[in-house]
Amino acid sequence: MRSPQLLLTSVLLLSAASLPAQLAGTYVVGPGGSYPNIAAAITALSASGVAAPVTFLVLANDTGPWTIPAFAGQGPLNPVVFDTVSPITISGPQPLLTLNGCASVTFRGFNGTFTSSSNTFVINSGTTDCVFTNCDFRANVATSGVAVFNFAGGSGCRIEDSTFGGAYEALYSAVANTGTTVQRCRIIGGGWRIMTLGGTDFTLVNNYITGTTNYGINGGIPSTPTSGVNLKIWHNSVYIAHPTSGSQYCSLRWYSSAGGTEVVDNVFYDYFPTSSTTVFNLWCLGALRPALMDYNCLWSNQPGYVPVFASANQTFAQWQALGFDTHSIQADPMFVAPTAMVPDLALQAGSPCATAGFTLPSVLTDFSLAPRTPPVSIGADEDDSGAGATYAIFGAGCAGSAGVVSNTIDTPPQLGQVSTITFGNLPPPNIAFALVGLSNTVSAFGPLPIDLTILGAPGCMARVSLDVATGLSGVGGTVDLVFLTPNQMSLLGFTFYTQALAFDPPINAFGASFSDAAIAIVGL
């Protein structure tokens, strides 16, 4: 691996290259770079379009606002990434960033705290397949009409592996919004509610949702019963600390009678400062109900509270008699630290939510990208009581001279046992570095994954933090990493990540390819 200094030197040398008529490749954004700031990069993108994948590597904090319109050559074959080497702070008048018809644009590794005078990020109709990842966006609380993310339209967009919240609400999805996914995020409270989900085919999955707020999630838009078609709320852990009791405060309010709505495998924990007969986990009226609501955990700190208001107060048994939550539980989920400064909504050992969920075919991993092993747990965190050792691929490698380097193990890491990780499909001379990390989201070089195009390895991604690197030499296209997992109970549930760098001079300018990346969890 190159040093950070060499990486930065290589990046800065790119600024001397002449710019093509249509953009292609990597450009530095910042003092001395190809473009002095993000505004100049967007101007070039809009004027010239793209002829190949483009990365704008932003090296300095910057001030907006910015609007990205449709541009020539856009689409999945020519993705555009605004990337960072280290976290970059963005600021300015709001809306700070408006996506107005662009396609396949990603923002990775940015952060900012905003005044909430207007919606901070606006995604308009015509915008497709745009992504925010590894970002941290906070807003001061506003009293009305302001969201950190306002999906006024757009289709196929994602927010993932990020933290965001504040304002009147953290996110608003309008009826015109389609196919949005929010996954593996920490979503924090707004001034009035957490979010409103009114778009079609919206998926909220594997998130920690916390904060001090009046209301939590709106399923659908008030007074718009046709909103929220095919809304999926799956495997989220929700802990809402309400500022006061009463006024129908709850973590889930339902305003949709549309088809295809599902609320499955979630934890809803509402904390109220005083007891009241008008506090709930779920509030809904008449026909405004989820089409399917089951395998959830409902709980509150108030003894004898009523979990559901459905045109009238409903005990848990009465709600089940109506055909909802028939396999759900009403119990303390036993979160690890829900009130910590950075809330931890993982499940403690012995949680009633462990192994009590329903296996959803499209949800294969949890909040930390750990594999979901049936019987799955309720909530964002997968917990099998620490007994199950696992080893699973979570990210793809890039093709080398002999194909994509494989990453397999003979026996998942178990206490007191020897395991062998094998990296296959190696080209001669069968040399690789085994990379072992403690994270697959952050590293000393910035947020993960890191696009290695800038180092001369297009299509390759570094997916694990570089905590340990071990040189290996093998034969016949494979090398083995053999290790003993100490027989120490403190290691039960310990998680680490693996990937290999394969020596492969002919394949690219960097002279290497990267294997599939795997997550390992120590078990019995």
Side-chain angles (χ1 to χ4, degrees):
M1 295 294 290
R2 298 187 183 186
S3 68
Q5 292 82 5
L6 183 57
L7 171 62
L8 184 57
T9 300
S10 301
V11 168
L12 292 175
L13 287 175
L14 294 172
S15 65
S18 59
L19 302 180
Q22 282 188 301
L23 305 184
T26 299
Y27 302 89
V28 174
V29 178
S34 306
Y35 303 103
N37 51 43
I38 294 174
I42 292 174
T43 296
L45 180 66
S46 303
S48 301
V50 295
V54 169
T55 296
F56 293 112
L57 190 62
V58 181
L59 299 183
N61 298 341
D62 209 342
T63 302
W66 308 285
T67 297
I68 303 181
F71 50 88
Q74 70 178 24
L77 296 180
N78 298 326
V80 173
V81 180
F82 287 82
D83 209 345
T84 63
V85 173
S86 59
I88 293 297
T89 299
I90 54 177
S91 58
Q94 297 170 78
L96 180 66
L97 176 65
T98 301
L99 304 184
N100 200 25
C102 57
S104 301
V105 176
T106 294
F107 289 83
R108 180 165 50 207
F110 293 88
N111 64 64
T113 300
F114 311 104
T115 59
S116 299
S117 58
S118 181
N119 298 310
T120 307
F121 300 95
V122 177
I123 295 84
N124 284 328
S125 294
T127 302
T128 59
D129 302 318
C130 291
V131 181
F132 294 85
T133 183
N134 293 115
C135 293
D136 190 333
F137 297 132
R138 316 289 181 99
N140 299 326
V141 170
T143 56
S144 63
V146 174
V148 177
F149 284 97
N150 180 10
F151 285 86
S155 62
C157 297
R158 304 195 309 275
I159 308 173
E160 57 191 22
D161 304 307
S162 296
T163 296
F164 66 96
Y168 180 76
E169 55 189 334
L171 183 146
Y172 181 88
S173 167
V175 172
N177 174 231
T178 62
T180 295
T181 297
V182 177
Q183 58 186 349
R184 301 186 305 274
C185 290
R186 291 182 179 274
I187 307 171
I188 55 180
W192 188 250
R193 67 174 66 91
I194 299 289
M195 65 185 74
T196 296
L197 307 180
T200 297
D201 298 327
F202 194 108
T203 300
L204 184 73
V205 58
N206 282 335
N207 300 285
Y208 283 1
I209 302 173
T210 61
T212 300
T213 188
N214 298 314
Y215 301 105
I217 303 166
N218 276 359
I221 299 171
S223 303
T224 312
T226 57
S227 61
V229 176
N230 290 327
L231 168 61
K232 311 299 185 188
I233 300 176
W234 292 336
H235 275 297
N236 299 283
S237 291
V238 183
Y239 180 89
I240 305 296
H242 300 279
T244 59
S245 299
S247 300
Q248 304 169 4
Y249 289 173
C250 54
S251 54
L252 183 63
R253 289 177 72 88
W254 208 261
Y255 295 101
S256 173
S257 59
T261 57
E262 297 182 7
V263 181
V264 178
D265 287 328
N266 304 278
V267 179
F268 297 106
Y269 190 137
D270 289 80
Y271 180 92
F272 300 103
T274 58
S275 61
S276 171
T277 59
T278 57
V279 295
F280 317 99
N281 297 122
L282 166 67
W283 182 95
C284 56
L285 285 174
L288 306 179
R289 314 279 175 87
L292 172 65
M293 184 166 178
D294 207 355
Y295 290 93
N296 300 294
C297 175
L298 309 181
W299 192 244
S300 172
N301 67 309
Q302 293 298 334
Y305 84 107
V306 180
V308 175
F309 179 88
S311 300
N313 287 358
Q314 308 286 337
T315 66
F316 190 57
Q318 289 170 332
W319 177 239
Q320 289 180 314
L322 294 175
F324 299 94
D325 283 312
T326 55
H327 299 91
S328 297
I329 58 177
Q330 189 179 25
D332 185 347
M334 297 173 58
F335 289 139
V336 169
T339 62
M341 183 163 295
V342 179
D344 187 349
L345 302 188
L347 303 175
Q348 299 180 49
S351 167
C353 296
T355 70
F358 178 78
T359 301
L360 295 165
S362 58
V363 185
L364 303 179
T365 57
D366 73 351
F367 174 81
S368 302
L369 280 172
R372 290 204 178 269
T373 53
V376 300
S377 297
I378 297 173
D381 179 64
E382 183 62 19
D383 185 344
D384 55 10
S385 299
T390 60
Y391 195 84
I393 300 301
F394 71 86
C398 55
S401 299
V404 176
V405 177
S406 59
N407 181 351
T408 59
I409 197 168
D410 61 345
T411 303
Q414 297 172 299
L415 297 182
Q417 302 297 315
V418 174
S419 299
T420 300
I421 298 173
T422 299
F423 299 107
N425 298 333
L426 295 175
N430 304 301
I431 294 175
F433 283 89
L435 312 177
V436 180
L438 300 179
S439 177
N440 64 351
T441 59
V442 295
S443 73
F445 304 101
L448 295 171
I450 296 173
D451 188 339
L452 298 175
T453 300
I454 193 170
L455 296 182
C460 295
M461 307 292 289
R463 299 185 183 277
V464 308
S465 59
L466 185 57
D467 296 297
V468 177
T470 302
L472 302 171
S473 178
V475 295
T478 65
V479 295
D480 291 336
L481 176 65
V482 182
F483 64 97
L484 169 67
T485 302
N487 191 16
Q488 298 177 6
M489 289 300 293
S490 61
L491 291 176
L492 199 62
F494 177 76
T495 300
F496 61 95
Y497 307 87
T498 68
Q499 191 175 23
L501 181 156
F503 183 66
D504 194 356
I507 194 62
N508 53 40
F510 185 54
S513 62
F514 284 74
S515 75
D516 296 335
I519 178 173
I521 301 177
V522 176
L524 295 175

